[in-house]
């Protein structure tokens, strides 16, 4: 404890170190203000029930439902194409949807046939339930009160429930839909279009008596990539309404011609899911605003290294060791002082940077993907821990090498260079993934506030903001490096005289 | 001047660390070229990005090393004109790194995407970055702080440009792909070095208290950051 006091006195009586730590916090905030103040206004994407940005664009053939009711349809085929011909789109969707209204972002429940993931029931942009029989082609939605039940069947008679969800409101819109998300190709995505053939539609219950209307939902949404050249959303053939009651005699085949009295081909594009970075090309994320972390990181690495190497250079280390011969105590006390100082600086700087930067960006009309209070707390605390870990890493490397130049070069190159390679679109994905898992730069996962969506095929690389490790695991990689370096420093300083 | 040059050459020649740094830089550039040739779409400049850190450190150590060891006192007794000392260092630095990097540029012209003159121009970036390091070290007079500032100058603009989408931040930064702009930074760093070295408050002999010295270092570091900020902000005004 006395040694901690000694080291604290050494630290606080060097005006330059104190100034530098304050400058580190200030730099974080200034860069956040610069990041928030730059960038042009971007249109806001539709926002889902939980406030998260969503993609909500699809071709909708709909009727109004004013109370309870059900709708049933067989999907006879689903094919997808990009601008250069037919292609497989695993998450192409065709089926039935009941949606609160036609505004993008409003609550919905949908049951669908997908290009490669079988029958699914999805709701509220995040809910995704696999059907019991993936090959089922008959779909049904039943609404009772606010509760909507999705059912699937292979033959149109043996129905199995898939799940339930709620869509509230006195009137809702229901009917057929087709969506076709962009396809990942290399380092980018291309738009796709899908066409589904539906058999006869049967609508029971309090449906609007007028005919079906069709339209592209979310046509102007910034999260909609649009149709590939030469295609457009459409509905071809009349919408056959099957008048028969449910218990129609005779077996039905799952797909093919025996599915009803007509065939309607609906063509659509878009997706219904939480927006991912690729679909939300404009706008920013919190980690962009916190780029100043790098400035703070370099400054604190310099301070951490100098905290021990100046003693070696100026011979003060002899007095230090005369006063406290146990080398481990000296090293530990220095580490404690650095951790406390860096945590304080990191917490204040990151908190102010995040708050002011996001506010400034939003005032500028730039859309920033919202963060929950829990995420913000994690980013602020985690970034402070990251800064403390880097400073202690520099201290340990400085203790080992006794050279400020070597320590600063090692630490900056060990954390900044891997990050640059990871954040470079040209770095091969395997290399980027490996670097983001093993090097100290893995710690930047702590600033990630967007999550990959399993039901969206997209580019989930660190370059666009998705790290392979979870936030705390990534931070733990850096802390691990720091602890290893500290252990080596402890052994080395224990074995030699100074 | 000839004798000052000879002295600088001897100082550089008889220390091993700088040569390892140069070797590492060359390895980085060649590795980058090979990778760029093997993977379509990879920018050949990636090798330069790897190598520039080490040549920058080389430039910093060329001056700050003397402060660490105290050789600076002897050097100034031998060459009292401070500008001459800095000039001699700059000339030796160019004479050593220049042929090496031009050599890499010529040798690897066949490997990488960029051939001939373009490759040599790219490699000349390393010389300019080393000069930025030398100038910065003359101002900061401390190895660790100097390296921190130079690596910050080299890497932060790229990150900032990527995060904000403002491409000019990277274009006008020292790590730009345009040699003219890097040369401007090198000249600015050397000019700052000249001003710092002849400044009356420049106490060449280190203050004995580490506290006082470090305060000096950090205040200079802060000054350097402010200068950097100024330099970054100015181009917007010019463009707007």
């Amino acid at each position: 404890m006395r040694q901690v006091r000694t080291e604290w006195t050494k630290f606080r009586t060097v005006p330059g170190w104190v100034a530098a730590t304050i400058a580190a916090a200030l730099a974080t905030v200034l860069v956040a203000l610069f990041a928030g103040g730059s960038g042009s206004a971007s249109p806001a994407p539709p926002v889902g029930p939980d406030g998260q940005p969503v993609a909500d664009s699809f071709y909708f053939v709909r009727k109004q439902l004013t109370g309870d009711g059900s709708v049933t349809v067989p999907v006879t085929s689903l094919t997808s194409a990009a601008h250069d011909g037919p292609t497989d789109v695993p998450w192409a969707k065709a089926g039935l949807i009941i949606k609160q209204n036609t505004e993008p972002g409003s609550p919905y429940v949908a049951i669908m046939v997908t290009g490669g993931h079988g029958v699914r029931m999805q709701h509220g942009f995040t809910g995704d339930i696999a059907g019991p029989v993936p090959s089922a082609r008959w779909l049904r939605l039943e609404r009772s009160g606010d509760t909507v039940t999705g059912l699937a069947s292979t033959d149109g008679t043996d129905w199995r429930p898939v799940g339930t969800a709620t869509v509230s409101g006195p009137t809702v819109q229901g009917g057929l839909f087709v969506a076709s998300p962009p396809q990942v190709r290399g380092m980018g995505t291309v738009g796709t279009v899908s066409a589904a053939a539906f058999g006869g539609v049967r609508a029971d219950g309090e449906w609007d008596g007028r005919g079906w209307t069709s339209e592209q939902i979310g046509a102007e949404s910034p999260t909609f990539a649009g149709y590939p050249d030469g295609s457009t959303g459409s509905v071809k053939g009349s919408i056959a309404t099957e008048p028969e009651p449910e218990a129609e005699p005779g077996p039905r085949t799952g797909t093919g011609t025996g599915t009803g009295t007509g065939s309607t081909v609906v063509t659509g594009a878009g997706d219904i899911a939480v927006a991912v970075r690729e679909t939300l090309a404009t706008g920013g994320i919190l980690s962009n605003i916190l780029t100043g972390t790098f400035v703070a990181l370099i400054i604190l690495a310099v301070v951490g290294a100098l905290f021990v190497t100046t003693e070696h250079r100026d011979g003060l280390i002899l007095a230090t060791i005369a006063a406290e011969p146990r080398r481990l105590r000296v090293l530990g006390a220095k580490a404690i002082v650095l951790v406390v100082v860096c945590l304080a600086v990191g917490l204040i700087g990151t908190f102010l940077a995040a708050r002011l930067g996001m506010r400034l960006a939003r005032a500028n009309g730039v859309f920033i993907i919202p963060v929950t209070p829990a995420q913000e707390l994690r980013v602020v605390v985690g970034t402070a821990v990251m800064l403390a870990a880097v400073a202690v890493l520099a201290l340990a490397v400085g203790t080992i090498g006794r050279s400020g130049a070597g320590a600063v070069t090692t630490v900056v190159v060990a954390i900044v260079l891997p990050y640059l390679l990871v954040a470079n679109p040209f770095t091969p994905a395997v290399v980027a993934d490996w670097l983001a898992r093993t090097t100290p730069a893995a710690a930047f996962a702590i600033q990630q506030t967007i999550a990959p969506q399993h039901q969206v095929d997209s580019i989930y690389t660190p370059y666009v903001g998705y790290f392979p490790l979870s936030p705390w695991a990534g931070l733990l990689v850096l802390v691990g490096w720091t602890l290893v370096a500290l252990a080596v420093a402890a052994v080395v300083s224990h074995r030699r005289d100074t | 001047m000839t004798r000052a040059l000879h002295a600088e050459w001897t100082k550089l020649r008889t220390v091993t660390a700088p040569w390892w740094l140069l070797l590492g830089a060359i390895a980085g550039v060649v590795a980058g070229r090979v990778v760029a040739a093997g993977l379509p779409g990879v920018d050949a400049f990636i090798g330069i990005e790897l190598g520039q850190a080490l040549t920058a450190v080389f430039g910093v150590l060329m001056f700050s090393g003397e402060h660490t060891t105290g050789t600076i006192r002897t050097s100034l007794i031998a060459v009292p004109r401070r500008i001459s000392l800095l000039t001699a260092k700059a000339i030796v630095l160019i004479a050593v790194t220049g042929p090496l990097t031009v050599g890499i540029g010529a040798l690897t012209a066949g490997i990488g995407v960029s051939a001939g003159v373009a490759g040599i121009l790219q490699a000349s970036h390393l010389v300019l970055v080393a000069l930025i390091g030398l100038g910065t070290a003359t101002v900061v007079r401390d190895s660790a702080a100097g390296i921190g500032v130079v690596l910050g100058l080299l890497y932060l603009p790229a990150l900032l440009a990527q995060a904000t989408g403002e491409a000019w931040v990277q274009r006008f930064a020292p790590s730009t792909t345009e040699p003219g702009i890097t040369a401007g930074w090198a000249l600015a760093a050397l000019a700052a070095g000249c001003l710092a070295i002849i400044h009356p408050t420049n106490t060449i002999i280190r203050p004995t208290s580490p506290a006082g010295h470090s305060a000096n270092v950090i205040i200079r570091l802060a000054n350097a950051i402010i200068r950097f900020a100024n330099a970054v902000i100015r181009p917007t005004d010019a463009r707007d």
Side-chain angles (χ1 to χ4, degrees):
Chain A
M1 197 60 225
R2 206 188 45 171
Q3 189 58 28
V4 173
R5 197 141 132 261
T6 309
E7 295 299 338
W8 167 239
T9 308
K10 279 188 215 162
F11 188 93
R12 81 181 155 75
T13 50
V14 180
W17 292 352
V18 176
T21 43
I22 293 169
L26 217 60
T28 317
V29 177
L30 286 177
V31 171
L33 292 180
F34 173 72
S38 64
S40 46
S42 49
V47 171
D50 303 330
Q52 77 279 45
V54 296
D56 196 7
S57 303
F58 57 94
Y59 201 77
F60 196 8
V61 181
R62 66 182 168 89
K63 263 188 183 181
Q64 188 162 294
L65 178 61
T66 47
D68 295 349
S70 74
V71 56
T72 308
V73 77
V75 180
T76 52
S77 75
L78 173 61
T79 55
S80 305
H83 62 91
D84 53 358
T87 180
D88 287 329
V89 180
W91 283 109
K93 302 172 175 72
L96 297 167
I97 186 167
I98 287 180
K99 191 168 168 61
Q100 198 171 58
N101 54 51
T102 56
E103 285 300 310
S106 66
Y108 71 94
V109 176
I111 186 151
M112 69 205 74
V113 167
T114 58
H117 296 279
V119 166
R120 318 290 290 202
M121 180 171 144
Q122 296 188 348
H123 58 92
F125 299 97
T126 51
D128 176 44
I129 307 162
V133 183
S135 61
R137 287 296 173 269
W138 283 79
L139 308 172
R140 173 179 292 170
L141 284 179
E142 290 177 356
R143 183 173 192 251
S144 170
D146 285 344
T147 306
V148 180
T149 307
L151 302 100
S153 166
T154 49
D155 55 10
T157 52
D158 175 22
W159 289 95
R160 296 203 192 171
V162 181
T164 58
T166 54
V167 176
S168 60
T171 64
V172 293
Q173 305 293 323
L176 310 176
F177 84 100
V178 173
S180 191
Q183 187 180 42
V184 176
R185 290 205 188 160
M187 290 187 288
T189 56
V190 294
T192 66
V193 60
S194 293
F198 292 94
V201 183
R202 211 186 62 237
D204 297 321
E206 295 162 49
W207 291 89
D208 187 7
R210 283 166 292 178
W212 298 87
T213 52
S214 60
E215 65 183 308
Q216 174 72 35
I217 300 295
E220 303 299 322
S221 162
T223 50
F224 179 44
Y227 282 83
D229 283 345
S231 64
T232 167
S234 66
V235 47
K236 291 204 177 79
S238 61
I239 301 193
T241 304
E242 193 159 306
E244 303 296 322
E246 189 178 333
E248 189 174 302
R252 294 175 188 276
T253 54
T255 57
T257 51
T259 53
T261 53
S263 181
T264 312
V265 176
V266 179
T267 305
D271 200 9
I272 314 171
V274 171
V276 294
R277 197 74 184 100
E278 186 65 22
T279 51
L280 204 60
T282 56
I285 46 180
L286 180 55
S287 61
N288 291 349
I289 287 180
L290 294 179
T291 306
T293 306
F294 283 96
V295 186
L297 203 134
I298 293 178
I299 295 177
L300 293 178
V302 171
V303 171
L306 287 178
F307 197 27
V308 61
T309 57
T310 47
E311 291 209 15
H312 283 288
R313 200 181 52 196
D314 299 317
L316 182 65
I317 191 77
L318 298 175
T320 304
I321 289 175
E324 174 54 87
R326 284 166 293 197
R327 271 70 164 171
L328 293 191
R329 289 214 172 180
V330 176
L331 184 63
K334 281 187 187 292
I336 289 169
V337 168
L338 274 183
V339 165
V340 171
V341 168
C342 291
L343 281 182
V345 165
L347 286 174
I348 296 168
T350 314
F351 176 74
L352 287 178
R355 276 293 162 93
L356 296 175
M358 282 203 287
R359 176 173 291 188
L360 191 58
R362 284 179 182 144
N364 263 349
V366 178
F367 180 77
I368 300 290
I369 295 181
V371 289
T372 62
Q375 282 179 324
E376 192 180 359
L377 185 70
R378 184 247 295 164
V379 169
V380 170
V381 173
T383 303
V385 173
M386 174 164 77
L387 292 176
V390 166
V392 175
L393 182 63
L395 173 79
V397 175
T399 305
I400 297 166
R402 288 180 283 189
S403 146
V408 171
T409 310
T410 308
V411 171
V412 171
V413 168
I415 192 159
V416 176
L417 203 59
Y419 181 85
L420 280 174
L421 288 173
V422 158
N424 185 326
F426 298 116
T427 309
V430 189
V431 178
D433 187 75
W434 182 80
L435 288 171
R437 282 174 187 277
T438 57
T439 62
F444 285 96
I446 200 72
Q447 294 185 337
Q448 179 176 329
T449 52
I450 44 177
Q453 301 294 316
H454 80 272
Q455 71 270 43
V456 183
D457 285 333
S458 188
I459 297 169
Y460 295 120
T461 59
Y463 171 63
V464 292
Y466 297 94
F467 279 79
L469 292 177
S470 71
W472 291 108
L475 187 61
L476 215 58
V477 172
L478 170 66
V479 173
W481 280 98
T482 303
L483 290 179
V484 168
L486 261 186
V488 174
V491 170
V492 166
S493 61
H494 187 68
R495 286 211 174 150
R496 70 186 176 207
D497 291 339
T498 60
Chain B
M1 195 67 202
T2 321
R3 277 193 292 179
L5 284 173
H6 193 255
E8 288 305 325
W9 167 241
T10 309
K11 277 188 249 172
L12 181 67
R13 185 170 56 82
T14 51
V15 179
T16 48
W19 300 102
W20 284 113
L21 286 170
L22 284 182
L23 202 66
I26 291 168
V29 174
V30 174
R33 287 274 164 83
V34 171
V35 169
L39 296 164
V42 176
D43 193 346
F45 205 71
I46 196 165
I48 307 283
E49 273 188 7
L50 289 169
Q52 66 179 7
L54 296 176
T55 40
V57 173
F58 171 85
V60 170
L61 290 183
M62 201 154 169
F63 204 105
S64 66
E66 296 214 10
H67 279 287
T68 311
T69 54
T71 317
I72 188 72
R73 297 168 221 182
T74 319
S75 295
L76 281 171
I77 290 165
V79 185
R81 275 182 304 241
R82 290 159 186 210
I83 299 268
S84 298
L85 182 75
L86 186 59
T87 312
K89 280 187 185 292
I91 290 171
V92 169
L93 184 149
I94 294 170
V96 171
T97 55
L100 276 177
T101 52
V102 171
I104 314 166
L107 280 175
T108 57
I111 303 173
V113 182
S114 47
V117 177
I120 292 168
L121 268 181
Q122 272 193 5
S124 74
H125 177 78
L126 297 180
V127 182
L128 298 171
V129 165
L131 284 174
I132 295 175
L134 177 66
T136 309
T138 316
V139 178
V140 177
R141 295 185 304 154
D142 178 90
S143 304
I147 289 167
V149 171
V150 172
L151 293 185
L153 277 176
L154 286 180
Y155 289 132
L156 289 177
L159 296 166
L160 208 56
Q162 195 197 318
T164 61
E166 305 270 349
W168 61 263
V169 176
Q170 166 70 353
R171 200 181 151 228
F172 291 104
S175 53
T176 175
T177 49
E178 294 170 42
I181 290 169
T182 316
W185 277 90
L187 281 178
L190 287 176
C194 285
L195 286 179
I197 203 171
I198 58 167
H199 199 272
T201 61
N202 187 315
T203 48
I204 287 298
I205 296 168
R206 184 202 309 286
T208 43
S209 107
H213 175 62
S214 303
N216 242 342
V217 166
I218 301 297
I219 287 160
R220 277 154 194 278
L221 175 71
N223 280 338
I225 290 167
I226 291 161
R227 258 198 294 280
F228 168 55
N230 277 336
V232 168
I233 290 158
R234 245 174 245 135
T236 27
D237 300 338
R239 282 160 68 84
D240 282 348

